[in-house]
Amino acid sequence: MGERVERRVIPQWSQYSHTHHQHNYQNGCRGHQQQQQQQQQQHNTEPCDLVCKVMLLGDSGVGKTCILVRFRDNLFLSGNFISTVGIDFRNKVVCVDDVKVKLQIWDTAGQERFRSVTHAYYRDAHALLLLYDVTNKTSFDNIRAWLGEIKEYAQDDVVIMLLGNKSDCHNSDRTVRREDGERLAREYNVAFMETSAKTGLNVELAFMAIARELKARKSGLHNKSSFNVQEYVREQTQKTTCPPCSS
């Protein structure tokens, strides 16, 4: 459903990305205005039927930037790379049935000192992808705090999806069970899946599920229960985990 891109691995974060990742934190409101202008320019140059703002949230190091790069460019960032400073964004147009949906994906810094910057962006978000690292119990324990921030700063009807990233890890490295993620998602009534930016597992599915949900809401079909993002995620993840049937 998105454009096909040859897979390859980036050994480290490029100088371009280093510069791009720092482009707003130090400039404050002036930087925010510049981003809004850049946003508008890209809206005018890329044809689409629907524009949706999606934010990536979670502790530092859970893989937000890697998830974005995997989805946007089908690449994996290996080795050391520079953490996101403040906030950054990329666009990608995907096709949902016959509708072109532009996902404007905002990658946020997970460090506490950048929270005041990212809070300003919550209000305009249509969807939030909240990540934790399945090898880092603290990042999972902090999910409740992140959900508290979402409740305080985001719109009441924002679409929320919980992602347990780095699921490609060895079992000995895992500190958060899949069942724990599922239980927390049920408690907060949000969709859930485990992902891997390294292998690409469920990365495109996460963004496409969000795009389908937002498209359904825009078309008014959401109120008719014709599409449910949680049910869609369950069905699709079962397809990917189910072994091939033998003939």
Side-chain angles (χ1 to χ4, degrees):
M1 280 176 278
E3 66 264 25
R4 294 185 176 273
V5 184
E6 180 183 357
R7 291 191 178 187
R8 61 185 188 277
V9 174
I10 302 177
Q12 61 182 5
W13 201 234
S14 65
Q15 182 63 39
Y16 165 77
S17 296
H18 179 192
T19 303
H20 194 66
H21 264 70
Q22 297 194 39
H23 78 187
N24 268 337
Y25 175 65
Q26 295 176 336
N27 292 331
C29 293
R30 176 171 167 268
H32 178 75
Q33 293 172 353
Q34 290 175 342
Q35 278 186 311
Q36 296 296 333
Q37 292 172 357
Q38 184 177 1
Q39 212 177 320
Q40 187 61 43
Q41 289 174 354
Q42 292 187 344
H43 287 180
N44 294 334
T45 57
E46 296 183 47
C48 59
D49 302 306
L50 178 64
V51 178
C52 300
K53 178 178 176 181
V54 181
M55 289 186 69
L56 298 171
L57 302 176
D59 284 5
S60 180
V62 298
K64 298 184 296 296
T65 300
C66 290
I67 285 284
L68 171 55
V69 173
R70 168 59 76 184
F71 175 65
R72 177 61 181 82
D73 303 313
N74 203 21
L75 305 174
F76 175 62
L77 299 174
S78 66
N80 298 321
F81 58 92
I82 299 168
S83 296
T84 303
V85 176
I87 194 162
D88 182 24
F89 80 95
R90 298 285 192 276
N91 288 328
K92 183 168 182 177
V93 176
V94 298
C95 292
V96 179
D97 301 325
D98 58 345
V99 175
K100 289 186 177 180
V101 180
K102 177 185 288 184
L103 297 178
Q104 188 181 86
I105 309 163
W106 296 75
D107 180 17
T108 64
Q111 299 96 323
E112 181 67 32
R113 67 182 185 274
F114 296 127
R115 296 290 177 81
S116 60
V117 176
T118 58
H119 287 166
Y121 291 81
Y122 278 59
R123 184 59 58 183
D124 297 329
H126 300 103
L128 303 171
L129 295 181
L130 180 55
L131 280 72
Y132 65 88
D133 176 354
V134 300
T135 69
N136 183 337
K137 184 65 161 53
T138 300
S139 70
F140 178 75
D141 293 339
N142 288 339
I143 288 296
R144 292 182 186 276
W146 281 102
L147 288 165
E149 288 191 6
I150 290 171
K151 184 176 181 180
E152 181 176 359
Y153 294 102
Q155 297 285 353
D156 293 337
D157 62 347
V158 68
V159 180
I160 304 171
M161 183 177 292
L162 180 63
L163 302 180
N165 195 35
K166 305 187 184 181
S167 62
D168 57 278
C169 67
H170 295 293
N171 289 334
S172 59
D173 295 327
R174 179 185 282 266
T175 60
V176 183
R177 300 178 304 167
R178 180 185 180 89
E179 293 81 4
D180 296 329
E182 292 174 337
R183 186 179 303 111
L184 185 62
R186 285 195 300 269
E187 179 181 343
Y188 284 89
N189 193 31
V190 298
F192 168 79
M193 70 177 77
E194 288 195 342
T195 58
S196 169
K198 184 175 183 179
T199 66
L201 176 67
N202 290 337
V203 173
E204 182 169 353
L205 172 59
F207 286 97
M208 292 305 301
I210 289 294
R212 285 186 174 276
E213 170 72 3
L214 295 174
K215 180 239 180 186
R217 291 188 179 195
K218 183 69 174 179
S219 63
L221 297 177
H222 184 265
N223 294 330
K224 300 178 183 178
S225 300
S226 61
F227 180 80
N228 182 283
V229 65
Q230 296 181 48
E231 187 61 34
Y232 177 78
V233 165
R234 279 193 293 269
E235 292 175 356
Q236 296 300 315
T237 51
Q238 286 174 1
K239 289 180 181 179
T240 58
T241 56
C242 178
C245 299
S246 58
S247 56

